Amino acid sequence: MSLNVLIVGAGICGPALAMLLQKSNPKHNITIVERSPSLRSTGQQIDLKTQAPHILRKMGLLDEIKSNCVNETGLEMVDSKGKQIALFGASASGQRRPGLTSEHEIMRGDLVQVLYDASIKQDAELRHESGNGKGVTYVFGETITALDETTEGVDATFFGGQKKRYDLVVAADGQGSRTRRLAFGQEVSDAAFKSLGVHAAYYSIPRIEGEGSLARGHLAPGRRMILTRTSDRPVTGVLLFTMKESSRLQASYQKSLEDQKESFAEMFKDADWQTDRLLAGLKTSDDFYAHEIGQIKMKQLSAGRVVLLGDAGYCPGPFTGLGTNLCLVGAYVLAGELARRGSDVAGALKSYEEKMRPFINDCQRFSSTTLGFLFPSSQLGIWSMNRILWAVSKISDIFPRSQQDDHWKDLPEYPELNLAS
Ligand SMILES: Cc1cc2nc3c(=O)[nH]c(=O)nc-3n(C[C@H](O)[C@H](O)[C@H](O)COP(=O)(O)OP(=O)(O)OC[C@H]3O[C@@H](n4cnc5c(N)ncnc54)[C@H](O)[C@@H]3O)c2cc1C
Ligand SMILES: *[C@@H]1O[C@H](CO)[C@@H](O)[C@H](O)[C@H]1NC(C)=O
Ligand SMILES: *[C@@H]1O[C@H](CO)[C@@H](O)[C@H](O)[C@H]1NC(C)=O
């Protein structure tokens, strides 16, 4: 039984799902539409931990991923003059200690590119088994504008007006998913976004002499936090976070990138440390990405034959470091259930939802109270916070937390996916 599948979004989980589906049944007809005219391979460093490395290994991609990983040696907290306050994660013996850096860290763009290239390569290998006009096809600069459920399938209307019928439509279009809105309605879709009250901007700037491979963090009054992460790369990633309310910033998401850049520059203009350098770089950066941080909490992951995957269905937010992990688990479980249940798409979607719940709950567990503490508003609050960070960095020196690496045991097994054991 082969399926006609439409995947909306070629980020991380879209290409991963396409690959898994095709491998389980080369006769599937899989189309991926991506709104952007080319692959959006921007973004900063992301963590691959818990189940993600295991899934990538089963897909035969872990070695490739490892050779693309960045090598960050720790996190240094600095004061307004750049003096070290606390050091996490780096040890004299070169051993990794707990901190911001996890076992596998990769630039988002490199992960997107590895998955995309691998799916193209696999398609070239399997296409002869698929039959005419099938396999995995990417369409860039395309999106859908309507979805209509019929008894035989779901009709998707494309931007240009054409309509096509599918057995399954997968919303893999990220936190602000429009596909989710089309399938569940604006009200349900909007209500699923639970803000954590933090605004974030990510972009790259040129590296400077002597920057080394440590990440650096700086707390500034007015509930602002700056991180730089450069690892062993030729550029430095900048992350700006703020919990200060700003109607200008809030409104800028509906406006141009220029407007978003200006709003963040205004918000961070007197944050000391390297602010001048970081804001000069912001102006000229070409990979700027900003959003309001939140979690997506949906009561249901599917409506008829439309199913939510990754950030579109259960974004945990970047502070958990688990978003990529969760979206890969989602792609794996969805492909596994579809492979197991053949033509019973409804049964597969139900089972996908049941199997995903514990993973979603696990990854979304997060205390917004702790988050509040991390963003002091006054100089005194920052002074206290820096003392606490110093103490914690010393304690973790004495008691290194063991890296738990048996999370893969929680994953269901799907021999139907024809993956490495
Ligand atoms: C440009 C970009 C930069 C990012 N940078 C970071 C970062 O620095 N740190 C971090 O932790 N997380 C970042 N993220 C989020 C991170 O990729 C996700 O949290 C996570 O990896 C889950 O991936 P996903 O595939 O579900 O969604 P995403 O990675 O968000 O991918 C969604 C894809 O769908 C496409 N899309 C969106 N709407 C439509 C539409 N209507 N029609 C067709 N296609 C559509 C998008 O262009 C994108 O390619 C970034 C996301 C993007 C898109
Ligand atoms: C990080 O180190 C590994 C192993 O030494 C190497 O394979 C990899 O290329 C390095 N990453 C970068 C970005 O240089
Ligand atoms: C595969 O899907 C594409 C896109 O929906 C469609 O144009 C094509 O006709 C399909 N091919 C077959 C053989 O069904």
Side-chain angles (χ1 to χ4, degrees):
M1 170 68 197
S2 69
L3 298 172
N4 198 16
V5 181
L6 176 67
I7 300 174
V8 185
I12 291 166
C13 55
L17 177 72
M19 247 190 110
L20 289 162
L21 279 179
Q22 187 185 31
K23 179 109 190 192
S24 71
N25 183 354
K27 295 207 162 17
H28 287 325
N29 187 11
I30 304 158
T31 309
I32 304 193
V33 291
E34 165 58 50
R35 182 173 57 186
S36 152
S38 59
L39 204 60
R40 279 180 90 188
S41 45
T42 52
Q44 296 301 322
Q45 229 164 291
I46 51 178
D47 301 347
L48 293 174
K49 53 189 182 189
T50 58
Q51 293 89 9
H54 183 67
I55 293 172
L56 291 164
R57 190 187 56 75
K58 281 175 98 66
M59 292 173 78
L61 298 176
L62 193 56
D63 288 338
E64 172 94 43
I65 295 288
K66 277 187 175 165
S67 67
N68 278 284
C69 277
V70 296
N71 303 305
E72 187 171 83
T73 44
L75 166 69
E76 178 187 56
M77 292 302 296
V78 297
D79 69 10
S80 57
K81 305 242 156 21
K83 203 175 116 234
Q84 186 183 91
I85 293 164
L87 180 63
F88 296 90
S91 72
S93 63
Q95 250 180 330
R96 283 268 174 84
R97 284 207 317 259
L100 186 66
T101 317
S102 60
E103 189 192 349
H104 302 294
E105 293 258 352
I106 188 168
M107 298 310 292
R108 177 185 179 277
D110 290 336
L111 178 61
V112 169
Q113 194 72 49
V114 167
L115 287 165
Y116 173 76
D117 290 347
S119 76
I120 297 283
K121 182 161 167 259
Q122 176 182 283
D123 184 53
E125 288 159 8
L126 296 181
R127 206 167 256 269
H128 66 278
E129 294 179 34
S130 0
N132 262 346
K134 293 189 174 180
V136 174
T137 311
Y138 285 88
V139 186
F140 287 96
E142 181 62 281
T143 187
I144 53 165
T145 55
L147 288 169
D148 296 290
E149 195 81 23
T150 72
T151 46
E152 270 114 274
V154 51
D155 290 342
T157 308
F158 291 85
F159 191 71
Q162 321 133 273
K163 244 187 201 186
K164 284 186 183 169
R165 182 159 295 172
Y166 295 92
D167 299 308
L168 177 68
V169 171
V170 182
D173 47 354
Q175 174 183 313
S177 175
R178 283 191 51 192
T179 313
R180 182 180 68 225
R181 204 194 304 160
L182 294 177
F184 290 84
Q186 171 122 29
E187 204 176 324
V188 171
S189 179
D190 289 355
F193 180 73
K194 311 289 181 199
S195 175
L196 290 172
V198 183
H199 297 278
Y202 319 100
Y203 58 95
S204 306
I205 63 172
R207 190 188 169 96
I208 49 169
E209 191 79 31
E211 206 165 1
S213 53
L214 282 176
R216 290 194 173 77
H218 170 62
L219 299 176
R223 318 198 76 181
R224 294 171 296 176
M225 189 197 296
I226 302 174
L227 272 178
T228 61
R229 307 185 81 170
T230 182
S231 302
D232 38 12
R233 299 181 301 124
V235 295
T236 299
V238 183
L239 297 87
L240 307 176
F241 298 105
T242 179
M243 281 193 92
K244 189 173 181 173
E245 281 185 39
S246 156
S247 47
R248 168 156 190 213
L249 219 169
Q250 187 80 49
S252 74
Y253 298 120
Q254 311 305 328
K255 299 184 189 159
S256 67
L257 267 186
E258 280 321 304
D259 215 84
Q260 293 171 37
K261 284 185 173 185
E262 278 169 27
S263 307
F264 272 94
E266 167 78 25
M267 174 66 85
F268 281 84
K269 67 175 191 288
D270 52 357
D272 289 334
W273 187 40
Q274 296 191 4
T275 302
D276 292 346
R277 172 197 172 206
L278 305 186
L279 295 187
L282 184 151
K283 272 208 190 85
T284 50
S285 69
D286 55 9
D287 62 348
F288 179 88
Y289 172 74
H291 66 168
E292 181 178 359
I293 294 181
Q295 298 191 316
I296 296 295
K297 294 194 169 173
M298 288 290 290
K299 285 208 182 70
Q300 283 175 308
L301 295 183
S302 60
R305 290 171 177 268
V306 184
V307 66
L308 307 176
L309 178 65
D311 275 6
Y314 32 77
C315 175
F319 291 124
T320 63
L322 289 168
T324 306
N325 169 64
L326 191 56
C327 89
L328 288 173
V329 173
Y332 173 80
V333 173
L334 181 57
E337 292 301 326
L338 287 165
R340 182 160 293 173
R341 280 157 218 274
S343 61
D344 179 15
V345 172
L349 297 188
K350 186 162 171 274
S351 190
Y352 160 70
E353 168 137 11
E354 282 164 10
K355 298 227 161 85
M356 283 308 290
R357 274 302 159 203
F359 291 104
I360 296 172
N361 293 341
D362 235 31
C363 294
Q364 288 195 330
R365 217 181 308 135
F366 185 77
S367 154
S368 43
T369 320
T370 319
L371 197 61
F373 281 125
L374 281 174
F375 289 89
S377 55
S378 67
Q379 281 292 5
L380 181 64
I382 288 176
W383 185 86
S384 317
M385 191 63 208
N386 284 340
R387 299 283 90 64
I388 294 171
L389 287 170
W390 175 82
V392 171
S393 74
K394 292 299 161 193
I395 294 169
S396 62
D397 247 12
I398 307 166
F399 304 108
R401 251 185 300 153
S402 65
Q403 281 259 8
Q404 200 190 329
D405 58 5
D406 58 356
H407 287 281
W408 57 272
K409 288 189 181 145
D410 302 340
L411 283 175
E413 280 295 332
Y414 295 108
E416 298 90 341
L417 287 176
N418 305 323
L419 301 173
S421 51

